[in-house]
Amino acid sequence: MLLWGTLASFIVLTENLIPPFQLLSMTFGIAFVLMLLRWLKQGHLGLQFIRQPPLAWALGVGGLFGYHLALFIAMAHAPVAEANLLNYLWPLLIVLFASQLPGETLRRQHIVGALLALVGCWILLSGNGEGFNSAFMLGYGAAIVAAVIWSSYSVLSRFVRNVPTDAVGWFCAATALLAFICHLLWETTVWPTASTQWVGVIGLGLGPVGLAFFTWDHGMKHGNLPLLGVLAFATPLISTLMMIGLGLVPATANVAIASLAITLGAVIAGIKVPRFRKKQPA
């Protein structure tokens, strides 16, 4: 989540000049190279991680590429602020979907914490919004689809928890290839021309697109899903605070209110409420 919080700052460095599918292909390509370097250090090429169950491939590539494809469609057919609001339903959906998994229990504090964090997230993201407009229904629908895809991918990862995180390297390679094909079909290539733009691209590939997806995979397979879902609402907050720290956006009352709501929501969701058992009659 900390790595995803750097996303906006690195995108600012790219100056938004690189077409989205080209950027997606470049950054996921870098993510694959990052994992490849790990394999080379271990003395192999990672070929043993290619053979994975069809479900793992469907989830991996469908989650990584499908989510970004839906999100790009949303951004292209709806105002960014409103598309982001709907996209950030995915942490709440993780909390709800996780309760349906074997051995998982949806507690009242998870719901309360998630809703409070959602309110904070929406306060943070709605500052530049103009309200929802029926003319942008395609974009709104795509944003909701993106939220469903990412939350489903995250929660269903539990069913392939035995698939090593190294396999995500190959999922990144497949995502980079699919994005490259989309780029060739629909975009014109624009290469970075300044060193800061290259820093942005490489930073995206190493951090919020590279290491972040590998660590998220491990967290979804082995962590507390409802709590992680609530904590994920902090991602846009971290991003905003970083932008403020870099002097790219001003500090506002909305940020303070959102910080309080998201933090309080995470605290409520993380509290372990003891269960009291009734005493058996002697």
Side-chain angles (χ1 to χ4, degrees):
M1 296 168 200
L2 289 171
L3 289 167
W4 280 337
T6 67
L7 182 70
S9 298
F10 282 127
I11 287 179
V12 169
L13 290 179
T14 68
E15 300 178 16
N16 293 316
L17 296 177
I18 304 172
F21 281 113
Q22 180 188 341
L23 184 61
L24 190 64
S25 180
M26 294 172 71
T27 52
F28 271 99
I30 293 171
F32 171 70
V33 171
L34 182 64
M35 183 60 80
L36 179 61
L37 292 175
R38 165 185 162 87
W39 295 333
L40 292 174
K41 186 177 179 181
Q42 295 175 344
H44 59 84
L45 294 175
L47 299 179
Q48 66 268 37
F49 300 116
I50 294 179
R51 292 190 62 182
Q52 301 298 337
L55 177 61
W57 273 99
L59 281 176
V61 180
L64 296 178
F65 180 74
Y67 169 72
H68 289 91
L69 176 62
L71 188 59
F72 286 170
I73 293 174
M75 296 298 184
H77 293 88
V80 173
E82 284 74 24
N84 257 330
L85 288 176
L86 294 173
N87 171 52
Y88 267 100
L89 287 171
W90 66 260
L92 177 61
L93 293 177
I94 285 179
V95 175
L96 298 177
F97 291 167
S99 67
Q100 305 304 311
L101 291 177
E104 295 289 345
T105 302
L106 182 64
R107 300 181 184 275
R108 188 177 302 168
Q109 75 237 44
H110 291 146
I111 294 293
V112 174
L115 291 176
L116 185 57
L118 177 63
V119 170
C121 182
W122 279 33
I123 290 173
L124 181 68
L125 295 174
S126 62
N128 298 321
E130 298 178 358
F132 291 94
N133 188 321
S134 59
F136 302 117
M137 290 304 295
L138 174 60
Y140 299 155
I144 293 174
V145 168
V148 172
I149 289 176
W150 188 250
S151 55
S152 300
Y153 159 74
S154 299
V155 173
L156 291 175
S157 293
R158 278 294 172 93
F159 290 103
V160 291
R161 64 193 309 170
N162 292 327
V163 173
T165 296
D166 288 72
V168 179
W170 291 110
F171 302 157
C172 288
T175 299
L177 178 60
L178 290 173
F180 180 66
I181 293 172
C182 291
H183 167 66
L184 293 179
L185 291 174
W186 300 315
E187 297 175 340
T188 301
T189 302
V190 178
W191 290 108
T193 56
S195 58
T196 53
Q197 294 172 7
W198 278 110
V199 169
V201 172
I202 295 173
L204 285 169
L206 295 178
V209 174
L211 187 58
F213 286 115
F214 302 141
T215 53
W216 183 253
D217 177 79
H218 182 82
M220 287 295 100
K221 289 175 179 175
H222 306 286
N224 183 326
L225 290 182
L227 180 58
L228 287 173
V230 176
L231 292 176
F233 282 114
T235 301
L237 176 61
I238 295 169
S239 177
T240 302
L241 293 177
M242 286 194 65
M243 299 279 278
I244 291 174
L246 294 172
L248 299 174
V249 298
T252 64
N254 274 8
V255 174
I257 296 172
S259 300
L260 180 62
I262 292 172
T263 302
L264 187 58
V267 170
I268 291 174
I271 292 175
K272 290 186 177 181
V273 180
R275 291 184 175 181
F276 298 98
R277 295 182 179 179
K278 294 182 179 180
K279 286 187 176 182
Q280 298 294 331

